[in-house]
Amino acid sequence: MSERIPLAHARGCTSRPAANPRRGRRGSIFWISALWFTMAIVRADVTLAPLFTDHAVLQRDKLVPIWGKAGPGEKVTVTFAGQTLRTTPGNDGRWIVLLEPMPANAQGADLVVAGKNTLTVHDVVVGEVWLCSGQSNMEWPVSRAMDASREIASANFPLLRHVRIEHVVTEFPAATVATSGWQSATPENVGTFTAVGYFFARDLHQKLGVPVGLVHSSWGGTPIESWLSPAALASNPAFAVVAERWGRNLADFAANQSAYEATLAAWTKAEAEAKAAPPAKTAPTTKKKSAPKRADPAAIYNDWLRKNPRPRPPRGPGDPWTPSGLFNAMINPLAPAALRGVVWYQGESNAERAAEYLPLFTTLIKSWRAHFGQDDLAFYWVNLANYEVNGDATRRTYAFLREAQMKALALPHTGQALAIDIGDPTNIHPTNKQEVGRRLALLAKNRLYGIVCDDTGPMFVSVAPEGKPGAQAPSAGSGQAMRVRFTHATGGLVAHEKPVQSLELAGSDRVFYPAEGKIDRDTLVVTSAQVREPIAVRYAWTNAPQANLYNGAGLPAVPFRSDDW
């Protein structure tokens, strides 16, 4: 069955007409509503899409689609907050209605859907709804965030609610998906919430004073290709490489699986031996006579695990890396829900192929907006944190992925929060999710909610040579200076704790050397004793740089390069 079915093919899907369509959303909602339906109806009872369960949050100030299935020709009535809508499904059992835009409402109400049976969804509120998606740094729970015990104990926000979309992979777009159900942010529940999403939502909830709902659909270690729809991956000839790569995985799967099983058996045996090994004796650390000390068995075993990680199974059928597999299973069943926006934290799994990322990422943003019928849907993401990628001899893989993310800002209604200064060079999962959430919330408050604030750190605009070689250099023996200009340098530039770090200059030989920087109000003057006549400058252009350049609002400068080499 095709991924999209035009409205003309969805016979009987009618609802009460409404005046004043908002930006064409009404027509596009009906057109894309077919995304939710991909299977023939198997029962006559009225059913609801997976997001409509007790304690749900509906989006305020927008048309709100409510949809589901029923018996062909069955009369379906939907009642909520003083609105009553009626529709009749077609032969395929699909139905959808659109609630008129509603103001925020923290008083829970019943959503009632009646046909041959009646469904009552309790305690439904109206506020702000955000979709949280990506890989492990979005999936990372509050229980593993910095100061987790304190954060969990202080969570008392019954109107901040979270629904988790369960992990599943499908080959074709699915109609429904299992969820955790909507849960309020309490000490009993919040530990399993997405940490980035929770801290983002908590900031908004406390500032706006309205209910906030998080729809959490993420899966650790997954590439962007898994989150793109089949139609999106077919939209650009350059994306053919995705299918080709996956085809090779499938072709080689049987042989790779046999090799993996043999490797795993050997590893399992070695792991058991390491766990059972008697404690090793260590020599005394002083000259005094004493009995040899015994090393901690747990420490020895953990060191062995670090040096000998468990073998990974090969990619193959049903794997979360299946192109479109996660879109089909974990995004398609959510459309065409009314949302305020999307927060996205992903990219680590694509860093080795950073050159592919920009077109894939911009296509994902545009295609998700189309699937949800909201061309102005806000889409904010996290620019990758500083992390020293194992096995990367160039030490620059993440720099190019971050650049691809930054270039996606050319799309309207987008924004990025930096994590370049708050990561952990030795851990791909930094635990300071509080600051990540705060920076994402700055974007939403400033760009959507009319709360004026700085939401972006200094961004490179231009660079030009200063005078003759050696002129205006901050120290004797330096080469020609380069003056860098920025936007978003509110209050001037600031170097935290030490002079500006992670600067590089290159001359005509295109070899980059360490450089020094001197702040001059809202510009930066860069020199290097090793580069007499520089033609290019870079800042924080490595996997795990020391990034300590900020604006007056305390937001970090975006890593940049003036070259395109």
Side-chain angles (χ1 to χ4, degrees), residues 172-418:
F172 301 103
T176 190
V177 66
T179 78
S180 64
W182 286 92
Q183 297 177 320
S184 293
T186 65
E188 294 74 25
N189 299 326
V190 77
T192 63
F193 288 16
T194 160
V196 166
Y198 170 67
F199 295 124
F200 164 78
R202 184 179 68 181
D203 194 323
L204 295 184
H205 177 55
Q206 293 177 318
K207 191 67 176 181
L208 301 175
V210 303
V212 178
L214 298 176
V215 180
H216 176 203
S217 182
S218 66
W219 194 325
T222 55
I224 194 170
E225 302 95 295
S226 300
W227 297 100
L228 280 153
S229 71
L233 283 178
S235 68
N236 187 333
F239 299 164
V241 66
V242 173
E244 293 169 2
R245 218 166 22 230
W246 187 246
R248 290 193 295 271
N249 280 341
L250 296 179
D252 297 339
F253 178 72
N256 290 339
Q257 181 67 16
S258 295
Y260 162 72
E261 290 171 358
T263 302
L264 179 63
W267 181 90
T268 301
K269 180 180 178 181
E271 187 257 354
E273 293 172 351
K275 184 180 293 186
K281 293 182 179 180
T282 60
T285 57
T286 66
K287 294 182 179 180
K288 295 181 180 180
K289 293 183 179 180
S290 61
K293 295 182 178 180
R294 293 184 179 272
D296 179 12
I300 295 173
Y301 173 66
N302 289 333
D303 184 62
W304 184 91
L305 284 178
R306 181 179 60 82
K307 296 176 180 177
N308 302 273
R310 182 185 178 91
R312 290 186 178 183
R315 304 291 180 191
D319 191 274
W321 278 50
T322 302
S324 300
L326 303 187
F327 171 86
N328 289 340
M330 298 175 63
I331 297 298
N332 191 66
L334 312 180
L339 305 170
R340 180 63 70 192
V342 177
V343 285
W344 173 262
Y345 197 155
Q346 192 278 333
E348 296 92 339
S349 290
N350 288 88
E352 292 182 0
R353 301 185 299 274
E356 297 178 8
Y357 197 78
L358 177 59
L360 289 168
F361 190 30
T362 54
T363 298
L364 181 138
I365 295 170
K366 291 185 285 188
S367 64
W368 281 24
R369 286 171 171 170
H371 284 299
F372 285 94
Q374 299 172 72
D375 291 340
D376 60 349
L377 188 68
F379 201 107
Y380 304 146
W381 60 86
V382 181
N383 194 269
L384 294 188
N386 49 315
Y387 171 64
E388 200 63 77
V389 182
N390 293 330
D392 179 12
T394 71
R395 300 185 63 244
R396 298 188 189 273
T397 298
Y398 269 33
F400 290 100
L401 195 288
R402 293 185 192 111
E403 180 182 51
Q405 293 178 309
M406 185 271 294
K407 288 182 176 180
L409 292 171
L411 291 179
H413 313 296
T414 57
Q416 71 172 2
L418 263 65

Side-chain angles (χ1 to χ4, degrees), residues 37-112:
F37 306 104
T38 59
M39 299 182 297
I41 189 164
V42 296
R43 55 181 296 179
D45 285 352
V46 170
T47 63
L48 275 165
L51 292 182
F52 305 116
T53 61
D54 290 351
H55 317 300
V57 183
L58 303 181
Q59 178 60 46
R60 65 171 172 170
D61 300 333
K62 288 190 177 186
L63 294 165
V64 177
I66 307 292
W67 72 97
K69 288 186 177 181
E74 183 176 350
K75 303 294 184 183
V76 177
T77 302
V78 178
T79 303
F80 181 74
Q83 299 187 47
T84 298
L85 306 176
R86 296 179 176 86
T87 191
T88 302
N91 293 333
D92 55 10
R94 301 177 294 176
W95 63 266
I96 183 169
V97 299
L98 298 179
L99 294 172
E100 290 293 336
M102 299 168 285
N105 191 344
Q107 186 67 42
D110 287 347
L111 169 66
V112 181

Side-chain angles (χ1 to χ4, degrees), residues 457-543:
M459 294 186 70
F460 171 81
V461 173
S462 64
V463 62
E466 287 274 301
K468 298 179 181 179
Q472 299 192 30
S475 61
S478 294
Q480 184 178 24
M482 299 281 278
R483 184 177 293 272
V484 183
R485 301 185 185 277
F486 301 85
T487 58
H488 303 287
T490 305
L493 298 173
V494 179
H496 284 190
E497 298 182 353
K498 59 180 75 173
V500 182
Q501 303 293 295
S502 303
L503 288 165
E504 299 174 274
L505 285 177
S508 58
D509 60 359
R510 298 190 173 188
V511 177
F512 280 92
Y513 294 92
E516 299 176 352
K518 180 180 180 181
I519 292 173
D520 184 7
R521 299 184 181 181
D522 59 356
T523 67
L524 185 65
V525 179
V526 185
T527 59
S528 172
Q530 296 169 281
V531 185
R532 181 169 177 78
E533 296 184 37
I535 63 172
V537 60
R538 290 179 175 180
Y539 167 71
W541 203 257
T542 58
N543 294 333

